[in-house]
Amino acid sequence: MLLPSLLDQGVDTDSAVTIDGTSFTAPALLGAANAVVPRLHGAHTVAVLAAPTAHTVVAIVGALRAGVTVVPVPPDSGPVEINHILNDSQAQAWLGPSPTLDGVKPLPVVPVRVHARDWHQHLEPHPDTPAFIMYTSGTTGLPKGAVLTRRAIAAGLDALADAWDWTARDIVVHGLPLFHVHGLILGLLGPLRFGSSLIHTGKPTPQAYAEAPGSLYFGVPTVWARLAKEPDYARAIADARLLVSGSASLPETVFEKIAELTGHEIVERYGMTETLITVSARADGPRKPGWVGVALRGVETRIVDDNGCVVPHDGNSIGVLHVRGPMVSSGYFRRPDANAEAFTADGWFITGDIAMIDPQGCHRIVGRASTDLIMTGGYKVGAGEVENALLSHPAVVEAAVVGKADHDLGERIVAYVVGSVADPDELITWVSDRVSHHKRPREIHFVESLPRNAMGKIQKTMLQ
């Protein structure tokens, strides 16, 4: 059963979910979701414009109760992306509000009424029923739809509960989008599965986090970086049980500043749309800045070199990370070609991320093989290591490192920096003093800001 706590009418909580000015008790959310079920009779796939609203919550839970697959659509998408998602997923209707943009494919709209209630019982769908088709960011082409079954989601959440000691006693706080794994699967379905309350802050501002009384706070690195600059707001969440960061690499300087202000070492974790969360620091284990923890319960990991050979777990050797576990997607929807590229014959998912694993099983993500592995002068250099060295400079606010074609080196290391430093040579020397000499940037470009997507990930293809 995917949402057992929600189905327990005796859940002892005043507010199961608070979002966009609306608070639901568990029974009220169940009643509103049940009222959606008869409206979806005969449907197999619906699109939800996943804004952070009560309508989105009711729509998603209602579709899950009905056993209908949900396609979360980012509310800021343009007509081309929306039409691709609708056509590719074969969505039959919008569940809840639809986009008002010109040029969007017309589909029927199934209304969602937040205040409606229905107390009929409904059979639990089969565990292998697809719960979501979630679309990737599409950085290397049109977005692909990863199919996430109810079984995979349950396994992924239960593995996190084991790692984080996540229980009904927790109050989860976040302001993350509801169209990604972080905000939707972890941030909404996690609380509903375990019976913990959820406070969605709307925007993930330092003030909003400080004013929300929680025990488990979720954020992307941008959220924690902003909190680190607001000491009073950061200290206000010192009574939390865990602070969790994901969706992008957390700078070591932010990790250290938050620890100084709150007494908390942030729990870093690693996952993808296609795999959910597979690696994380544990509530009862060590946390190292720049490292994303150990494989979750039921997960296997390995790193593989260009020749397909498994790389030693020595904390220094790097390779492409492969993962295997019960929470991994069953594949891309209607894309056998992409599945053949992404999965090995024996079931390993090829993440495309470059990583290293130490002898204790702790993982460090160096970057994406497509953008963050730089071949320079015969050496393999992970952009993340150079970025961390840059970010350790007191005047550097943000940094992104890429490789650019070079007739002599193959690729030269180029850094884009936001900060108050004016002298490129100062930063090049700074990096050379902290990492191997061949890893130093050959060029430094000072910029006002770095291009980011909705989850705060730097879009390096726009820097090439």
Side-chain angles (χ1 to χ4, degrees), residues 181-236:
V181 163
H182 198 167
L184 175 55
I185 306 297
L186 278 62
L188 175 61
L189 299 193
L192 295 179
R193 181 166 178 79
F194 305 130
S196 49
S197 294
L198 165 63
I199 299 173
H200 193 285
T201 62
K203 293 183 178 180
T205 65
Q207 182 176 353
Y209 274 41
E211 292 176 352
S215 63
L216 193 55
Y217 288 77
F218 294 163
V220 297
T222 303
V223 171
W224 300 119
R226 290 172 180 169
L227 261 167
K229 296 175 184 176
E230 299 279 0
D232 289 341
Y233 291 142
R235 293 187 188 101

Side-chain angles (χ1 to χ4, degrees), residues 336-350:
D337 57 329
N339 290 332
E341 292 180 3
F343 290 88
T344 67
D346 52 351
W348 292 91
F349 180 78
I350 305 167

Side-chain angles (χ1 to χ4, degrees), residues 1-4 6-7 37 44 59-70 122-133 146-158 185 189 193 276 326-330:
M1 188 177 293
L2 182 56
L3 302 176
L6 182 62
L7 299 176
V37 174
H44 57 74
I60 288 171
V61 178
L64 291 175
R65 294 284 288 137
V68 173
T69 303
V70 175
H122 299 283
L123 294 175
E124 175 75 6
H126 191 278
D128 293 326
T129 302
F132 297 101
I133 302 175
V147 179
L148 299 173
T149 66
R150 302 171 73 90
R151 187 192 303 276
I153 292 170
L157 290 174
D158 289 350
I185 306 297
L189 299 193
R193 181 166 178 79
L276 302 183
M327 64 286 292
V328 173
S329 164
S330 54

Side-chain angles (χ1 to χ4, degrees), residues 25-360:
T25 62
L29 179 53
L30 177 62
N34 280 345
V36 172
V37 174
R39 296 177 178 275
L40 294 177
H41 181 71
H44 57 74
T45 307
V46 293
V48 173
L49 195 64
T53 66
H55 282 87
T56 296
V57 172
V58 173
I60 288 171
V61 178
L64 291 175
R65 294 284 288 137
V68 173
T69 303
V70 175
V71 182
V73 177
D76 60 350
S77 297
V80 173
E81 182 177 1
I82 293 175
N83 287 339
H84 166 71
I85 291 173
L86 296 179
N87 290 328
D88 188 75
S89 67
Q90 301 179 326
Q92 298 163 289
W94 289 99
L95 180 57
S98 62
T100 57
L101 297 172
D102 291 336
V104 173
K105 175 184 178 180
L107 284 180
V109 174
V110 178
V112 170
R113 296 187 173 92
V114 171
H115 300 291
R117 299 292 183 266
D118 184 331
W119 305 115
H120 285 89
Q121 297 294 319
H122 299 283
L123 294 175
E124 175 75 6
H126 191 278
D128 293 326
T129 302
F132 297 101
I133 302 175
M134 297 191 72
Y135 279 79
T136 62
S137 59
T139 54
T140 57
L142 288 171
K144 300 187 290 289
V147 179
L148 299 173
T149 66
R150 302 171 73 90
R151 187 192 303 276
I153 292 170
L157 290 174
D158 289 350
L160 286 176
D162 172 71
W164 297 347
D165 193 26
W166 188 353
T167 71
R169 297 186 301 274
D170 281 305
I171 299 174
V172 176
V173 175
H174 73 85
L176 302 172
L178 297 185
F179 50 87
H180 280 295
V181 163
H182 198 167
L184 175 55
I185 306 297
L186 278 62
L188 175 61
L189 299 193
L192 295 179
R193 181 166 178 79
F194 305 130
S196 49
S197 294
L198 165 63
I199 299 173
H200 193 285
T201 62
K203 293 183 178 180
T205 65
Q207 182 176 353
Y209 274 41
E211 292 176 352
S215 63
L216 193 55
Y217 288 77
F218 294 163
V220 297
T222 303
V223 171
W224 300 119
R226 290 172 180 169
L227 261 167
K229 296 175 184 176
E230 299 279 0
D232 289 341
Y233 291 142
R235 293 187 188 101
I237 64 173
D239 290 338
R241 190 174 64 80
L242 289 179
L243 310 181
V244 180
S245 182
S247 300
S249 176
L250 180 72
E252 294 179 20
T253 51
V254 175
F255 179 100
E256 292 162 356
K257 187 63 176 178
I258 292 294
E260 174 191 328
L261 292 172
T262 68
H264 285 281
E265 293 182 332
I266 291 177
V267 169
E268 295 187 68
R269 90 299 182 283
Y270 167 80
M272 301 178 68
T273 303
E274 297 93 334
T275 66
L276 302 183
I277 310 305
T278 50
V279 174
S280 178
R282 295 182 60 88
D284 59 357
R287 298 162 210 169
K288 297 195 295 184
W291 295 73
V292 294
V294 297
L296 295 180
R297 184 181 64 192
V299 174
E300 299 172 85
T301 63
R302 67 184 185 186
I303 44 178
V304 176
D305 66 17
D306 295 341
N307 298 316
C309 299
V310 176
V311 174
H313 295 181
D314 56 14
N316 186 53
S317 303
I318 62 175
V320 176
L321 179 65
H322 292 188
V323 300
R324 187 163 63 180
M327 64 286 292
V328 173
S329 164
S330 54
Y332 296 111
F333 186 63
R334 299 199 307 156
R335 289 293 304 273
D337 57 329
N339 290 332
E341 292 180 3
F343 290 88
T344 67
D346 52 351
W348 292 91
F349 180 78
I350 305 167
T351 68
D353 284 320
I354 305 301
M356 59 181 68
I357 305 175
D358 73 11
Q360 289 73 46

